[in-house]
Amino acid sequence: MTSTTTFLDLPVDVLLLIFPYLDATSFLRLTSTCRALHNPDFLHDATYWSRLVRTTFRVPNQPVVQNDGIRWQKLFRRLLTQSRIYTWGNNEKACLGHTYESHTAATGIALPGLRRVNVRRRMHISWPAAMQGTDGLGVISDVQCGGWSTTLLTSAGALYTVGVMDGIEFNPGRPPYLQTPMVQPTPLRYPPGHVQAHERIDPSTAIKQFSAGRAHILGLSDSGRIWSWQNIEHSALHVRFVHHETQEGRSLGYGTVLKVVAGWNKSAALIEGVGIVLWDPLKREDGDAEAEDAALVLESAVVPKTSYLQSRGKRVAERTDEDLALAETVGEVSSFVVLEHVALFSTTLGKVFASEIFWDDNQQRASDPIEVDISQTGESEPFATDVQGSFRSFAVFLRSGAVLTSNQDRLMNLLQSRSSNESLWRQIPALQHKDVISVAFGDYHFHALHSSGYITSYGTEPGACGALGLGGHGDPEGRLRGIRYQGIGGDGRLVPHAYIEGRRVWFEEEKQDWITFITAGGVDPAEAAERLRMALGSPDIRCQGEVSEWIEQQGRDWESKFNLQSADDDGLGAYFALSVSAAGWHSGALMLVNEDLAAKGYKYVWAYDHFPRLRLSNGAEMPGNVPFDEWRYERPAFDLEAGP
């Protein structure tokens, strides 16, 4: 008798090889045909859903959550209709994508006896606001901030930029040449004769991965071509190398470009078989013919010991002695960043290496990488999975869930063998084992993106510009979130308490209205006056820090605070952060916005809230006639050394 093999008789490994060939509809239909295939191991297969999201929408990989299939499945559903860009901070060169006339800060509450007052903020936005002019761009899959710009990538592979790429560009010996700020998202162009990515998809110009540097942008096309821009009004230059061969039209093989990174003052690319290649950003001179479509990089440097790739089809017998040595000591580059003077990379061995970038004999060079010790952090598993950073700051992610932060100055002491009593690493409590996906650094501030879809802020906002996204401009709302300002218009620095659990960026308008109401004294300003002075006007940071933590807990538990539950059946809430970026004095985030949920809100159910009255951790009791307030969660053990 002849036996019949059914689909379910196939080994699981074979089934998993078939899934990538199915679109989402076909995959869901297949998994719904029987109970065996409707198993969560198949239905929520992380490899399938993460690949589908990244290939369909060009969303960058997120190594920390690449095995979370449920999360990727939910993102796929919501990316189809709900991607929005929010920006905040300094808008001096229109880098936030808001017209100056629209810079209003809602500082009034729609309650009886009160009216809404709009205050013009020409240069700063301290609460996240939706970028204008994005409605017709389709699905937005990534956002990155440059020094004076913000750039978006669409699922069609087109790049759009607001602001200016180079905010201080000038030509020596000639009158200053200033770039024109673009308030509306403007498509980045290609030279004549090339398909414009915002008009039609073509492998040579559709961008699959890009990187925004301080004053230039690099893009890697579907075909594997590197493009470079340094002015929104100028067309791109195709980057080619004199000393290195690059290949197009294939995903693997010698010369294939795997990733591009635009640093503060350098460009970089990871090229298969070559390693991390560094060069100075390309630039069209004013008046150059737009017909010039390519530029040869004459001077470049390769970071030593970065060329090794695991097998890639190469048999063990074909590996050289150098391959074998690198396999055991360095490993394959898994991620890398380019700081001001340092290239930093992590490898498949869980190690982190740093290489100094310098000029010698009129040639650009990179020093032999030095391994950066991550073992002295108290973590039981010091295995690095990712490295992120920009300008002079960076973060290393460990498999254990720890996040280590540091800066270039400390790293240079190691690279140049200078002794230092300062530890290389900081372990901010709010970042440890809190499911942090990414850390985005500006000049003085930085943000962390957590896998559950919220963003926390740290550092300093220069000139009270709002870069932290916590409200303010030196006003009481920002101080109630934990910012201490140095005089009117001075820098705003977070209190140490904010580094214990973090301060979340609020996208909900009703939360912003609520804190404005509380900052005005709540339902009884006269009764709250002494507590207000104690929390916001005292030189002692303890009261301000603890009240700001109490405020943070109220915002974190907003739904249950008012016994209201979200009707969102996918559990992502009204606002879900997919990525965050920062540079200079501003920030941006790619958000998934459920507008039906956001429109419902929970407005004005707090009309009778009073300014908080707490028993402080040092035993002091805040004055007043209202009952003491309880904490939504356990009060943290405040460590005044937790801050920077």
Side-chain angles (χ1 to χ4, degrees):
M1 179 180 292
T2 304
S3 62
T4 302
T5 301
T6 68
F7 186 77
L8 293 179
D9 291 329
L10 294 174
V12 172
D13 291 347
V14 174
L15 294 178
L16 295 178
L17 291 175
I18 295 173
F19 290 164
Y21 292 94
L22 304 176
D23 59 25
T25 301
S26 301
F27 177 79
L28 292 174
R29 285 175 177 171
L30 175 64
T31 55
S32 65
T33 56
C34 65
R35 184 177 300 175
L37 289 176
H38 206 65
N39 185 304
D41 290 342
F42 292 136
L43 185 61
H44 301 139
D45 179 49
T47 302
Y48 174 80
W49 286 110
S50 64
R51 178 183 177 277
L52 190 66
V53 169
R54 289 185 284 111
T55 55
T56 304
F57 301 114
R58 301 173 186 268
V59 171
N61 190 25
Q62 298 170 328
V64 175
V65 291
Q66 61 188 5
N67 295 319
D68 188 346
I70 296 176
R71 182 179 189 275
W72 287 109
Q73 185 187 51
K74 292 177 179 179
L75 295 184
F76 179 82
R77 291 172 176 170
R78 291 186 60 166
L79 270 164
L80 290 168
T81 58
Q82 297 181 8
S83 62
R84 306 287 186 273
I85 296 297
Y86 283 74
T87 53
W88 59 93
N90 182 288
N91 194 38
E92 186 176 352
K93 295 186 183 296
C95 62
L96 303 183
H98 303 286
T99 58
Y100 292 151
E101 289 72 17
S102 73
H103 290 185
T104 58
T107 58
I109 312 300
L111 290 171
L114 297 178
R115 64 186 179 88
R116 181 175 295 277
V117 180
N118 289 328
V119 180
R120 294 184 66 183
R121 302 292 192 186
R122 287 184 175 273
M123 296 302 177
H124 300 326
I125 293 180
S126 59
W127 292 115
M131 182 182 289
Q132 299 172 358
T134 63
D135 291 345
L137 303 185
V139 177
I140 300 171
S141 56
D142 196 12
V143 58
Q144 293 189 34
C145 296
W148 303 271
S149 64
T150 302
T151 299
L152 321 176
L153 173 66
T154 72
S155 60
L159 293 172
Y160 292 81
T161 301
V162 295
V164 299
M165 286 192 195
D166 190 340
I168 56 174
E169 179 183 331
F170 69 96
N171 292 322
R174 288 186 287 171
Y177 174 75
L178 301 178
Q179 297 185 5
T180 303
M182 300 294 179
V183 177
Q184 294 288 321
T186 302
L188 297 187
R189 297 185 296 105
Y190 296 87
H194 293 268
V195 173
Q196 302 302 316
H198 63 283
E199 296 176 348
R200 180 165 58 87
I201 296 178
D202 183 271
S204 66
T205 55
I207 299 300
K208 63 181 178 181
Q209 182 257 319
F210 83 102
S211 178
R214 175 177 181 257
H216 73 295
I217 289 172
L218 290 179
L220 179 62
S221 75
D222 287 347
S223 68
R225 181 175 298 186
I226 303 174
W227 293 98
S228 180
W229 293 265
Q230 99 299 336
N231 190 324
I232 302 175
E233 296 182 277
H234 292 174
S235 62
L237 285 170
H238 172 201
V239 180
R240 306 181 67 181
F241 302 95
V242 169
H243 302 295
H244 310 293
E245 180 183 359
T246 57
Q247 301 290 340
E248 293 186 50
R250 59 189 187 186
S251 58
L252 298 174
Y254 185 90
T256 301
V257 182
L258 305 175
K259 182 181 180 180
V260 294
V261 170
W264 191 79
N265 55 3
K266 296 292 178 186
S267 295
L270 178 59
I271 303 176
E272 183 165 347
V274 178
I276 299 174
V277 178
L278 304 164
W279 70 96
D280 287 338
L282 300 177
K283 188 174 184 179
R284 284 188 182 276
E285 295 298 330
D286 188 30
D288 278 358
E290 288 281 297
E292 295 294 332
D293 65 350
L296 281 174
V297 175
L298 303 178
E299 294 290 342
S300 62
V302 177
V303 178
K305 302 179 181 179
T306 58
S307 61
Y308 173 71
L309 292 170
Q310 294 179 0
S311 67
R312 285 281 206 271
K314 183 186 290 187
R315 294 189 298 272
V316 174
E318 296 176 338
R319 298 183 187 180
T320 65
D321 291 342
E322 181 182 6
D323 287 338
L324 296 174
L326 290 177
E328 295 178 356
T329 60
V330 178
E332 179 181 345
V333 174
S334 55
S335 65
F336 74 99
V337 296
V338 180
L339 307 180
E340 184 184 17
H341 300 302
V342 176
L344 193 71
F345 62 94
S346 61
T347 73
T348 51
L349 296 182
K351 298 181 178 182
V352 178
F353 295 87
S355 170
E356 184 181 0
I357 306 168
F358 61 97
W359 283 85
D360 183 39
D361 293 333
N362 293 322
Q363 288 188 331
Q364 195 160 215
R365 301 184 185 277
S367 67
D368 274 350
I370 294 177
E371 183 175 356
V372 182
D373 186 8
I374 59 174
S375 65
Q376 305 299 317
T377 58
E379 293 295 319
S380 59
E381 191 180 18
F383 188 101
T385 58
D386 199 6
V387 59
Q388 301 174 14
S390 61
F391 190 28
R392 295 173 181 167
S393 302
F394 64 94
V396 172
F397 292 70
L398 303 188
R399 189 158 58 189
S400 64
V403 178
L404 315 178
T405 56
S406 190
N407 61 52
Q408 182 177 259
D409 289 342
R410 298 174 193 167
L411 202 55
M412 291 297 283
N413 289 330
L414 172 66
L415 288 168
Q416 299 179 354
S417 301
R418 294 196 298 257
S419 61
S420 174
N421 294 325
E422 187 176 24
S423 172
L424 175 62
W425 302 114
R426 286 190 59 226
Q427 290 179 264
I428 297 171
L431 302 182
Q432 308 312 307
H433 310 282
K434 297 295 179 64
D435 298 320
V436 176
I437 296 176
S438 64
V439 179
F441 295 95
D443 285 357
Y444 303 99
H445 72 290
F446 61 101
H447 301 294
L449 173 65
H450 300 255
S451 65
S452 51
Y454 65 89
I455 297 167
T456 52
S457 290
Y458 309 89
T460 299
E461 54 178 35
C465 67
L468 294 173
L470 303 176
H473 299 300
D475 295 334
E477 292 91 343
R479 296 205 294 274
L480 208 55
R481 297 302 310 278
I483 307 175
R484 292 183 73 83
Y485 297 99
Q486 299 175 357
I488 299 175
D491 294 348
R493 184 183 297 271
L494 280 172
V495 296
H497 306 70
Y499 292 81
I500 298 170
E501 294 294 336
R503 293 290 178 266
R504 297 190 186 187
V505 179
W506 292 349
F507 294 86
E508 301 89 344
E509 292 183 7
E510 61 270 18
K511 288 184 182 180
Q512 300 169 17
D513 287 346
W514 171 71
I515 196 171
T516 301
F517 174 69
I518 293 297
T519 304
V523 69
D524 190 346
E527 187 277 334
E530 190 173 351
R531 292 199 303 282
L532 268 166
R533 287 192 295 269
M534 185 177 179
L536 303 180
S538 171
D540 182 4
I541 66 173
R542 181 181 299 276
C543 185
Q544 181 187 3
E546 296 192 23
V547 170
S548 72
E549 176 62 26
W550 185 89
I551 292 290
E552 171 69 22
Q553 291 192 10
Q554 303 302 302
R556 196 188 314 162
D557 195 30
W558 192 252
E559 287 82 7
S560 63
K561 171 180 168 65
F562 302 112
N563 296 317
L564 295 167
Q565 296 300 319
S566 171
D568 187 11
D569 59 2
D570 69 2
L572 298 187
Y575 296 88
F576 186 93
L578 186 59
S579 68
V580 66
S581 182
W585 293 15
H586 68 287
S587 311
L590 172 58
M591 304 295 298
L592 300 181
V593 182
N594 185 326
E595 294 184 347
D596 290 338
L597 269 181
K600 292 178 181 178
Y602 311 117
K603 300 179 186 298
Y604 316 135
V605 293
W606 33 261
Y608 297 102
D609 280 6
H610 59 76
F611 188 87
R613 184 187 181 203
L614 304 177
R615 292 185 176 92
L616 303 179
S617 60
N618 63 355
E621 295 183 348
M622 297 182 71
N625 301 319
V626 296
F628 287 101
D629 289 284
E630 300 297 328
W631 292 81
R632 302 299 296 177
Y633 304 98
E634 182 179 353
R635 181 173 63 186
F638 293 117
D639 178 6
L640 299 188
E641 301 298 323

